[in-house]
Amino acid sequence: MKQSNLFGRTLREAPSDATTPGTQLMLRAAIARPLAAGLYTWLPLGFRVARKVEQIIREEQDRIGAQELRIPVITPAEYWKETGRWDTLEPVSFRTKDHNGRDYMIGYTHEELVMHHARNEILSYRQLPAMVYHFQEKGRDEERPRAGLLRVREFVMKDAYSIDRDWEGLNEQYWAQHGAYAKTFARMGLDAISVESDTGNMGGDVAHEFQVLTDVGEDRLVFCTNCDYKANMEKATRKIESAAAAPSNVPAATPIATPGITSIDALTSSLKIAPKDLLKTLLMKDLTGNVVAIVMPGDRELNEPKLRKVLKTSDVKFANDTDFAAVGAVPGYIGPTLATLAEQGPLPLGLNARLLVDASVETRPYVAGANKKDTHVRDVLPGRDFKGETVDVHDVREGDPCPKCGGRVTIKRGVEVGNIFKFGPYYAEKMKATYLAEDGTHKPLMFGSYGIGIGRAVQTIIETHHDARGIIWPLAVAPFQIHLLPLFSKDESVRESAEVLLKELEFMGLEVLYDDRDDSPGVKFADADLIGIPFRLTVSARTVKENAVELKRRDEEKATLVPRGEIVSKMRSLVGERRR
RNA sequence: CGGGGUGUAGCGCAGCUUGGUAGCGCGUUGCGUUCGGGACGCAAAGGCCGGCGGUUCAAGUCCGCCCACCCCGACCA
């Protein structure tokens, strides 16, 4: 491939809105170009990388017996309506109608469609297990695309679906995919680790995400510094010391005047106590508008995914003024319902809402809101003065004890490059997808789903494989294997020599980008470093004179001279025996 | 969807406070000289100053509305 013909030019400076190092390099190296917010065109260089990433995934999927098929991008509404996702995906999906007015969605994902085909193709247990996958565009009207290809509104995903008879079969396929994912990411140079993740509200108890640690990651991950515990923040828990017996000498709860003091900060400074000695009470509501009160220590943060799971809802929001009024809450002075004080008269009845008490609330006296303007209450003893359902809805934080071994946990950022998920019978039950079992009964198909985002993988490779000069592609996914740079001079022998070498390398099936541009050496070297092809070969008057070729690996500083007679076989062995 | 920011030549930016001829660097085109780490000279092309409306003799600059893009938070591969 002649570089002068390459569609897409390198940029000396990155556009100012490219913020992450990888995004800047992705744009500068002509991997992809933005078309609109969250919509990117692969340029030829990037598309070659994407195809190699796909091929690695394909090989590893095939290896565990998954079969490739292809489901359309445009999907009819009827299947989504069967599971109710026609409505729940409304805010985040692209939709259209045909000329007859029928509704369609650009596939947000493809579970419903796979399940539809499965119920038609699979009638008997004899046809199970089955596993299929495809590479297909997903359309997601993300509210906030970011960081180049990391989060976009249209992207190719490899999504695989396993279908089996029972949990045991599902489990086997799940772990087969887990193994395939580990190999897949390793092959493309991604150091991905599997962490437990939230299963959302679609049933199933196990899900893993494959995460690559990098500061540009959107997810926060909790690791134990002592054992192998690792989990997404959305799922992570911490060890909580078993509740100590309630201290017996706690005075009765007493209202105190706190005029105008409505925040944790204000309370800590005016009462001279620490945030951890305060109780904060949050009012949240679920999708259907039910309001719940959550009591947690003043120094802890609410974890919304955990709360959603407790409430079995797909969305939670902070309550608004109307909600406050409806449950009898006073903004700034909200607290758990203190039954005794309410009965005795000094305080109003309290909240008319379901009360959840976070597990991090200890059995010791706290200061809490009184549900009365300008008033708090001291010596509030959980269990004695109020009761609620104990739930774990707080964020784990740096230094908390590990739930597994009690060691300290640490928090890092990561990019989710893949996830695997056991749905179980969830979709089959919604879509009446059953098979005839050996015992003559109809049973639901057990379902698992497994996704990898291609563009995100490519962007993550760049984010984790670069230096100040440019990208450093792992050989397996590099757009080309060899970058051949002739340093032209008056002496035509350089051009002749380079072009003969090019032919020989290409004849061996090696992928070569040939920089035939009439530019100065500095420009060529700088572009070569930017584009990041693993092996750079330089042919110049100097090397021709010595009957040699200069070889430099992108990931090493030093270059070596290789005799002309050996260079082709040397490159062949460096790149590997793989032929097209 | 909440909060913040930015729109001026292909890219990076200045000009806006204080209204009066649209600029700089890089890149691009032509010619010449160079040729091992983003070369040099000469000449040139390239802008509806995001859009619409307003104020004004006069708007890139002031005012209003809209649009687009980016960043931070909540959701996803």
Side-chain angles (χ1 to χ4, degrees):
Chain A
M1 173 78 198
K2 286 184 174 174
Q3 198 163 343
S4 63
N5 291 335
L6 193 63
F7 184 83
R9 65 197 180 91
T10 56
L11 307 175
R12 190 178 286 199
E13 289 175 281
S16 59
D17 52 21
T19 48
T20 72
T23 309
Q24 291 167 0
L25 292 174
M26 182 272 288
L27 293 170
R28 287 187 55 211
I31 299 302
R33 291 283 179 252
L35 190 62
L39 299 175
Y40 281 83
T41 297
W42 286 113
L43 293 178
L45 226 37
F47 195 51
R48 293 179 68 100
V49 177
R51 277 170 34 202
K52 288 189 177 184
V53 165
E54 283 188 11
Q55 187 55 28
I56 289 171
I57 297 171
R58 180 175 286 119
E59 287 168 15
E60 294 304 328
Q61 291 292 302
D62 290 348
R63 198 195 299 275
I64 58 169
Q67 299 170 56
E68 186 169 3
L69 47 67
R70 183 91 120 206
I71 301 169
V73 175
I74 300 178
T75 63
E78 56 189 283
Y79 303 114
W80 300 101
K81 286 179 177 167
E82 290 186 51
T83 59
R85 291 214 285 184
W86 180 254
D87 293 327
T88 56
L89 291 178
E90 200 285 323
V92 287
S93 57
F94 294 104
R95 283 152 191 233
T96 188
K97 285 181 196 292
D98 67 13
H99 287 91
N100 292 319
R102 277 186 289 261
D103 287 313
Y104 295 85
M105 186 197 297
I106 305 293
Y108 183 92
T109 170
H110 283 82
E111 278 89 9
E112 277 82 350
L113 301 318
V114 169
M115 189 48 73
H116 166 71
H117 286 120
R119 70 187 169 188
N120 283 340
E121 304 301 324
I122 295 174
L123 306 176
S124 151
Y125 74 94
R126 294 173 195 271
Q127 296 168 276
L128 294 171
M131 185 139 61
V132 294
Y133 72 98
H134 72 341
F135 291 92
Q136 185 57 288
E137 299 285 347
K138 309 293 180 226
R140 299 187 177 182
D141 196 1
E142 293 282 351
E143 292 148 63
R144 197 165 93 72
R146 72 174 280 273
L149 303 170
L150 217 51
R151 182 157 64 167
V152 294
R153 298 195 297 166
E154 181 195 301
F155 62 99
V156 173
M157 185 197 291
K158 182 287 300 179
D159 38 328
Y161 302 91
S162 71
I163 303 153
D164 215 318
R165 299 156 66 166
D166 47 29
W167 281 108
E168 198 176 302
L170 170 56
N171 202 42
E172 246 172 64
Q173 300 200 73
Y174 183 87
W175 287 104
Q177 281 287 358
H178 193 280
Y181 270 41
K183 282 191 194 131
T184 299
F185 292 122
R187 282 184 60 186
M188 61 181 74
L190 286 176
D191 192 7
I193 51 175
S194 113
V195 305
E196 288 180 38
S197 68
D198 181 30
T199 49
N201 61 335
M202 278 179 272
D205 55 342
V206 177
H208 285 85
E209 291 167 347
F210 283 78
Q211 292 272 359
V212 175
L213 297 184
T214 155
D215 289 341
V216 306
E218 305 179 279
D219 290 338
R220 286 176 303 163
L221 310 171
V222 177
F223 293 84
C224 180
T225 53
N226 182 50
C227 74
D228 65 351
Y229 179 78
K230 39 190 190 283
N232 193 302
M233 187 73 122
E234 297 175 356
K235 161 102 178 176
T237 56
R238 67 188 180 105
K239 187 174 206 164
I240 292 175
E241 317 307 329
S242 47
S248 52
N249 54 348
V250 179
T254 332
I256 49 176
T258 50
I261 298 176
T262 59
S263 68
I264 299 271
D265 279 352
L267 277 167
T268 52
S269 52
S270 84
L271 298 181
K272 310 244 182 312
I273 56 175
K276 68 179 176 58
D277 296 322
L278 289 161
L279 285 182
K280 66 177 170 191
T281 305
L282 302 172
L283 276 193
M284 306 292 293
K285 62 177 173 178
D286 67 13
L287 209 57
T288 58
N290 290 323
V291 176
V292 296
I294 302 115
V295 181
M296 45 201 318
D299 63 336
R300 284 280 169 183
E301 298 301 322
L302 175 69
N303 184 302
E304 289 193 21
K306 285 189 188 177
L307 178 64
R308 276 198 296 276
K309 188 149 196 186
V310 167
L311 297 180
K312 297 183 171 60
T313 182
S314 59
D315 194 22
V316 291
K317 284 192 166 69
F318 282 97
N320 58 28
D321 294 349
T322 319
D323 302 320
F324 268 72
V327 301
V330 182
Y333 298 95
I334 185 169
T337 299
L338 304 175
T340 321
L341 287 178
E343 280 161 22
Q344 291 166 359
L347 289 185
L349 211 49
L351 301 178
N352 177 25
R354 181 177 170 191
L355 187 69
L356 303 179
V357 180
D358 184 70
S360 50
V361 172
E362 299 169 4
T363 310
R364 60 182 176 85
Y366 286 94
V367 171
N371 297 314
K372 182 179 171 186
K373 193 162 164 39
D374 298 335
T375 313
H376 280 80
V377 184
R378 71 153 48 109
D379 295 319
V380 170
L381 187 59
R384 181 190 73 180
D385 297 320
F386 69 91
K387 289 185 174 61
E389 303 161 52
T390 300
V391 295
D392 180 343
V393 293
H394 62 278
D395 269 348
V396 169
R397 66 188 173 206
E398 190 85 27
D400 275 345
C402 166
K404 230 168 137 179
C405 75
R408 304 283 111 180
V409 301
T410 182
I411 293 168
K412 293 176 181 165
R413 297 190 78 92
V415 174
E416 180 185 358
V417 289
N419 76 5
I420 60 176
F421 204 114
K422 289 188 209 175
F423 285 121
Y426 181 84
Y427 283 97
E429 284 167 358
K430 293 252 181 197
M431 296 184 69
K432 301 188 178 56
T434 60
Y435 68 97
L436 193 56
E438 214 168 350
D439 63 7
T441 63
H442 290 275
K443 293 186 171 165
L445 293 168
M446 298 296 277
F447 202 38
S449 105
Y450 314 90
I452 297 176
I454 309 305
R456 178 176 287 186
V458 172
Q459 182 75 55
T460 306
I461 291 168
I462 299 171
E463 296 289 356
T464 54
H465 295 76
H466 67 264
D467 62 15
R469 295 174 185 277
I471 303 172
I472 305 174
W473 290 111
L475 181 58
V477 298
F480 290 87
Q481 294 156 342
I482 297 167
H483 203 164
L484 178 57
L485 309 199
L487 303 184
F488 297 136
S489 64
K490 281 188 209 113
D491 185 359
E492 273 301 302
S493 69
V494 170
R495 184 185 300 273
E496 286 160 20
S497 171
E499 288 180 2
V500 170
L501 177 57
L502 172 66
K503 286 205 177 71
E504 290 179 27
L505 292 167
E506 287 183 335
F507 183 75
M508 296 308 304
L510 299 168
E511 301 167 9
V512 186
L513 182 63
Y514 176 58
D515 192 349
D516 60 330
R517 300 173 303 167
D518 193 19
D519 275 309
S520 70
V523 170
K524 292 187 176 190
F525 287 138
D527 268 350
D529 288 339
L530 174 59
I531 295 172
I533 293 169
F535 299 105
R536 187 185 83 189
L537 295 181
T538 307
V539 176
S540 67
R542 188 195 298 170
T543 68
V544 169
K545 193 179 301 170
E546 298 194 36
N547 196 28
V549 174
E550 182 193 273
L551 164 64
K552 182 182 171 297
R553 297 179 56 117
R554 178 60 181 89
D555 57 0
E556 288 177 3
E557 276 310 306
K558 65 177 196 312
T560 55
L561 271 185
V562 180
R564 178 61 180 78
E566 296 172 17
I567 189 67
V568 176
S569 60
K570 169 116 185 166
M571 292 320 296
R572 194 175 151 188
S573 69
L574 281 173
V575 169
E577 291 297 314
R578 184 165 158 262
R579 304 235 204 151
R580 66 178 66 249

